[in-house]
Amino acid sequence: MKHFSKSIIDLYQKVFQVKNCPWCGSEQFIKHAKYHYTYRYKCKKCKRTFLPSTGTSIHYIHKKDQFYDYANVLKNEGLLSLSTMCKKFNIAPLTSFDWRHKILMSIPRNDKVFRNETFCYNLQFNYSRKGRKGIPNPLSNIKAKGLLKDNKYKSQVISLRNTKVLASKLVTVGSVKLKDIKRSIGKNLCRTKSLVINHEIQGLAEFAKLKILNLIAIYKKSSEVQKRIFMENFNSLNLDFKGWINNIKKGVATKYLALYCNYFMAFYSKKFSPFAKNIINQKFVWPFYTLTEHFYKEFILNHTEMNYPKPTKRKWKTSIKYSFKKELFPY
Ligand SMILES: [Zn+2]
């Protein structure tokens, strides 16, 4: 029998739940055979077999013990550089990259409802195709033409905060339209009474008008001390996030930006726990991971003004037949 650490054995015996088949979603399954410290199950409907971990962030990971410790570094210490993590865990750069993204994908998309008064902060990052082999990064060309300040090449992120909840999302690349707001943060803002914004955003202004929200520009500094402190804290949190992405991470590919937004805010709110029952039991992490390119393509073509050049060469056994809700993906 393969040897696992106590944490992994506990994970299999106490944390993982088997409620339905991760492939087709059916609740009709049986124990098929004993497998290390757990069971392999068989679905009566689609006839496929699975483990309690199938589809989760730890699925298909051979060095499970190290992955467990790796995820806990992300939880407790934050995001160290990929090379630091390579040395720390004696793993290859690609492994470190894969593990990080699987862990980030296990943080659920934040669709919490922001009631009452909500603060919005719009951050812009240069559109980036970092890491996409064989595709020239358009930014060098844009820089040469002096178009770097053009909205068209900006990845638009909106952070939201009220006294109870915090979230940050990638909205679009280019100018922010009403449909982008509806798609990305519409659910969050469905019960909001008033919005305080850091500067004019066309789509957000239209959204506020549509929902009859009271829109307040942030530039008029509030006379209420408490509110002013809250606003200033939120502004500096966003500036920290921007600095973190641009300096520490030396920029993030737009493809992954949504994941980093999600992670940063979860880490900041101390709400990120990679092995909590509700997190590790999400069976859609593996299909999301293998379909990221597909989702990214849909995002770029349908929701931005950018074009989509040929994709990277890495291919996975496709998992499009998995049962999962596409809306959970953080775009
Ligand atoms: Zn099935």
Side-chain angles (χ1 to χ4, degrees):
M1 191 182 271
K2 199 173 168 182
H3 178 77
F4 288 115
S5 68
K6 191 177 178 304
S7 325
I8 297 296
I9 298 170
D10 277 356
L11 204 60
Y12 274 91
Q13 297 185 338
K14 295 177 187 162
V15 185
F16 278 128
Q17 295 165 326
V18 182
K19 287 181 177 168
N20 35 20
C21 165
W23 306 104
C24 73
S26 166
E27 290 171 10
Q28 305 287 314
F29 56 84
I30 48 164
K31 273 183 185 166
H32 184 59
K34 193 122 178 79
Y35 183 83
H36 295 304
Y37 300 94
T38 179
Y39 287 95
R40 184 174 278 282
Y41 296 82
K42 187 170 185 177
C43 174
K44 285 168 128 180
K45 197 179 161 202
C46 72
K47 313 283 184 219
R48 299 185 76 170
T49 67
F50 57 91
L51 294 170
S53 55
T54 298
T56 69
S57 58
I58 208 166
H59 179 58
Y60 274 136
I61 297 215
H62 299 292
K63 298 172 175 175
K64 288 189 167 45
D65 291 334
Q66 279 147 290
F67 180 79
Y68 189 88
D69 294 338
Y70 187 107
N72 278 321
V73 170
L74 260 67
K75 176 192 171 187
N76 300 320
E77 296 172 43
L79 219 51
L80 308 183
S81 77
L82 286 173
S83 59
T84 308
M85 293 302 262
C86 286
K87 278 183 212 138
K88 206 174 169 85
F89 292 95
N90 191 26
I91 49 174
L94 191 59
T95 308
S96 187
F97 182 83
D98 286 350
W99 286 9
R100 178 196 277 179
H101 287 109
K102 280 178 190 169
I103 294 158
L104 297 192
M105 273 179 203
S106 73
I107 306 170
R109 181 188 157 107
N110 189 337
D111 279 327
K112 294 241 163 64
V113 173
F114 287 69
R115 290 168 197 275
N116 306 324
E117 185 167 70
T118 299
F119 292 77
C120 290
Y121 196 98
N122 174 218
L123 281 166
Q124 300 181 328
F125 296 91
N126 289 333
Y127 169 71
S128 165
R129 287 183 188 146
K130 189 180 169 188
R132 292 174 82 75
K133 294 197 182 85
I135 305 168
N137 198 329
L139 278 201
S140 44
N141 193 13
I142 295 159
K143 243 182 224 166
K145 288 183 184 163
L147 293 170
L148 211 53
K149 283 187 180 155
D150 193 332
N151 244 352
K152 189 181 168 198
Y153 303 100
K154 297 289 179 193
S155 303
Q156 306 279 357
V157 168
I158 292 186
S159 304
L160 301 173
R161 185 176 200 182
N162 66 13
T163 48
K164 290 192 174 136
V165 216
L166 177 66
S168 187
K169 290 182 177 181
L170 171 65
V171 172
T172 184
V173 180
S175 55
V176 180
K177 299 182 189 70
L178 175 62
K179 66 182 177 72
D180 302 315
I181 296 293
K182 279 184 174 171
R183 190 189 76 253
S184 58
I185 55 173
K187 266 190 196 167
N188 300 107
L189 298 180
C190 64
R191 296 281 171 83
T192 305
K193 292 222 170 67
S194 58
L195 281 177
V196 184
I197 57 173
N198 69 324
H199 65 84
E200 285 296 329
I201 309 164
Q202 181 67 26
L204 202 54
E206 285 173 31
F207 182 85
K209 203 174 165 191
L210 193 75
K211 299 278 174 193
I212 327 170
L213 295 178
N214 186 12
L215 193 65
I216 309 161
I218 211 165
Y219 291 118
K220 291 165 200 150
K221 277 197 172 180
S222 173
S223 52
E224 297 167 50
V225 178
Q226 235 182 343
K227 196 163 154 182
R228 202 166 65 221
I229 294 171
F230 190 82
M231 263 158 43
E232 281 164 10
N233 281 343
F234 185 45
N235 291 357
S236 50
L237 173 69
N238 280 289
L239 294 175
D240 282 353
F241 176 54
K242 189 165 187 173
W244 180 71
I245 291 283
N246 288 339
N247 303 324
I248 306 171
K249 313 264 31 97
K250 304 252 189 319
V252 160
T254 299
K255 180 178 174 182
Y256 299 113
L257 188 57
L259 298 176
Y260 286 85
C261 292
N262 218 10
Y263 169 78
F264 186 89
M265 297 306 165
F267 181 78
Y268 178 84
S269 334
K270 298 191 168 61
K271 282 191 176 149
F272 171 53
S273 187
F275 298 104
K277 218 169 212 165
N278 61 329
I279 299 296
I280 194 66
N281 275 295
Q282 299 174 118
K283 317 275 170 152
F284 58 77
V285 176
W286 171 254
F288 273 10
Y289 181 73
T290 56
L291 291 168
T292 305
E293 185 61 36
H294 168 81
F295 289 133
Y296 175 66
K297 183 180 173 182
E298 279 197 346
F299 171 70
I300 290 294
L301 290 178
N302 300 332
H303 307 303
T304 76
E305 294 162 21
M306 303 305 287
N307 59 5
Y308 177 81
K310 66 174 182 170
T312 45
K313 281 189 182 132
R314 278 181 95 190
K315 282 257 157 54
W316 306 95
K317 266 196 272 176
T318 180
S319 48
I320 208 136
K321 283 179 190 153
Y322 257 92
S323 79
F324 61 86
K325 286 189 192 123
K326 205 187 122 213
E327 303 79 65
L328 293 167
F329 201 79
Y331 289 137

